[in-house]
Amino acid sequence: MSRRRTSSGGYSPRKVNTREIRQRFLIVCEGEKTEPNYFRSFRVPKNVAEIDVKGLGENPSKLVNSAKELKQQEEYDQVWCVFDRDAWTPEDFNNAIKKAESQGFKVAYSNEAFELWYVLHFEFLNTGIPRSDYLQKLNLHLNRKYQKNSETIYDELFEKQATAIRNAINLLNQYNPPTPAKDNPSTTVHLLVQELNKFVQ
């Protein structure tokens, strides 16, 4: 934290404005369209931060390996791996999280599906439900049929984003200690959202 001189000659702390710091994000997603379309919608000016989003269509472990390869090719300040529990084995899911963290990467996971993050914009959900039920809930909340690869969902949900973050935090707090592969429902997508929001203008 930097400090500025006061009129009395002393110093007071002054927060560094994160918007003055250019950051490079690499966000690798398990999904090829749903998650990339969402994260590409954040209004982050290129002179403030550069966001490189890739939808790779790989299982969690392969996704982390791909992130490692991409990080070796270019310099990034933050690397995020975005993947769901879905039908992947608990071993693959948990190992991918551990492997990512060992590389210094951050993980935005969802158990069971990314759409949980969307549902949390409307309601607090702490009961495990089938993936298809997420879609039914979104149909009701949106008053239309939810389009999985929507390019407008970020804007549609934006005003409720603070609610989603609060619900996601409360949900994670219910698991002590957390065991991501078993904690259904749970998500850490809000951590990535909060990080990107530091650079939104």
Side-chain angles (χ1 to χ4, degrees), residues 16-25 44-52 74-78 198-199 201:
V16 174
N17 185 354
T18 55
R19 290 177 179 172
E20 297 172 354
I21 304 170
R22 183 176 171 83
Q23 288 256 316
R24 292 197 74 207
F25 284 79
V44 177
K46 288 193 185 318
N47 64 326
V48 175
E50 182 180 333
I51 303 174
D52 189 2
E74 292 189 54
E75 276 299 316
Y76 292 98
D77 299 292
Q78 295 191 38
K198 294 178 182 178
F199 304 94
Q201 290 185 349

Side-chain angles (χ1 to χ4, degrees), residues 171-188:
L171 188 55
L172 273 186
N173 287 340
Q174 295 198 346
Y175 301 106
N176 188 23
T179 51
K182 293 182 180 179
D183 298 344
N184 181 14
S186 65
T187 184
T188 58

Side-chain angles (χ1 to χ4, degrees), residues 154-185:
Y154 171 87
D155 291 322
E156 292 178 67
L157 300 180
F158 179 75
E159 290 185 357
K160 297 180 174 65
Q161 192 182 93
T163 298
I165 291 172
R166 185 168 60 250
N167 283 337
I169 292 171
N170 289 340
L171 188 55
L172 273 186
N173 287 340
Q174 295 198 346
Y175 301 106
N176 188 23
T179 51
K182 293 182 180 179
D183 298 344
N184 181 14

Side-chain angles (χ1 to χ4, degrees), residues 32-41 53 149-151 154:
E32 296 182 52
K33 290 187 178 180
T34 300
E35 298 92 330
N37 286 348
Y38 179 78
F39 291 115
R40 286 180 183 131
S41 298
V53 185
N149 298 327
S150 171
E151 295 181 357
Y154 171 87

Side-chain angles (χ1 to χ4, degrees), residues 28-113:
V28 291
C29 304
E30 171 195 338
E32 296 182 52
K33 290 187 178 180
T34 300
E35 298 92 330
N37 286 348
Y38 179 78
F39 291 115
R40 286 180 183 131
S41 298
F42 280 73
R43 295 181 180 87
V44 177
K46 288 193 185 318
N47 64 326
V48 175
E50 182 180 333
I51 303 174
D52 189 2
V53 185
K54 299 184 183 298
L56 302 181
E58 297 177 335
N59 69 35
S61 293
K62 287 184 179 178
L63 191 76
V64 174
N65 288 337
S66 294
K68 182 180 178 181
E69 292 172 6
L70 290 166
K71 178 72 164 58
Q72 290 172 343
Q73 295 169 18
E74 292 189 54
E75 276 299 316
Y76 292 98
D77 299 292
Q78 295 191 38
V79 177
W80 286 81
C81 298
V82 181
F83 52 82
D84 299 343
R85 172 68 172 85
D86 280 342
W88 308 121
T89 66
E91 292 76 20
D92 183 51
F93 188 75
N94 284 331
N95 288 341
I97 293 174
K98 291 178 183 176
K99 190 171 185 178
E101 292 173 346
S102 72
Q103 295 292 326
F105 303 160
K106 299 178 183 179
V107 178
Y109 69 78
S110 296
N111 187 348
E112 173 170 331

